[in-house]
Amino acid sequence: EVQLVESGGGLVQPGGSLRLSCVASGFAFSTYPMTWVRQAPGKELEWVSSINKAGSTPYYADSAKGRFTISRDNAKNTLYLQLNSLKTEDTAIYYCARSPGGDPDNYYPPRGQGTQVTVSS
């Protein structure tokens, strides 16, 4: 069974940083591109960032460019998202998801519970 367990969220002030993690199991992690998406209150899922299977090529939504960094450790079956210079509009539940490949903003429906990121003073 595919399992994706996100962690690392929390309450942070504007301008602060967080590092999100996603531990994968139940599938061959290194054979899938991976994605981070988020869902703000009352809004639909929003693609944030993706990374290729090898971890050498990241992709970012405009809202994430220059502030977020995606990475992965295939030996640990873990995906990361470093969030810097956080803004109040980054407040959302963040999910990781597998990607089928092709366009970087394609992803399978998230399967985990996500991790809450709240940016507030």
Side-chain angles (χ1 to χ4, degrees):
E1 179 187 1
V2 172
Q3 287 195 325
L4 297 166
V5 180
E6 302 92 346
S7 64
L11 173 63
V12 63
Q13 292 186 341
S17 298
L18 287 171
R19 190 192 195 202
L20 308 184
S21 298
C22 169
V23 178
S25 61
F27 67 100
F29 179 74
S30 64
T31 67
Y32 284 86
M34 294 293 295
T35 290
W36 284 99
V37 298
R38 66 186 181 185
Q39 188 165 28
K43 296 188 177 181
E44 296 184 350
L45 280 173
E46 175 191 11
W47 173 72
V48 175
S49 180
S50 295
I51 193 165
N52 67 338
K53 291 180 282 187
S56 58
T57 305
Y59 303 90
Y60 299 99
D62 287 345
S63 59
K65 284 179 183 175
R67 301 188 301 124
F68 297 176
T69 302
I70 190 172
S71 62
R72 66 191 295 167
D73 185 337
N74 287 342
K76 295 183 178 180
N77 286 358
T78 302
L79 178 72
Y80 303 100
L81 187 67
Q82 177 69 40
L83 310 175
N84 294 332
S85 303
L86 283 162
K87 305 174 182 180
T88 55
E89 51 263 44
D90 295 318
T91 295
I93 300 175
Y94 285 70
Y95 301 90
C96 64
R98 295 184 302 166
S99 301
D103 291 337
D105 59 351
N106 285 342
Y107 53 92
Y108 295 113
R111 301 176 69 97
Q113 295 194 342
T115 187
Q116 175 72 50
V117 171
T118 302
V119 185
S120 175
S121 56

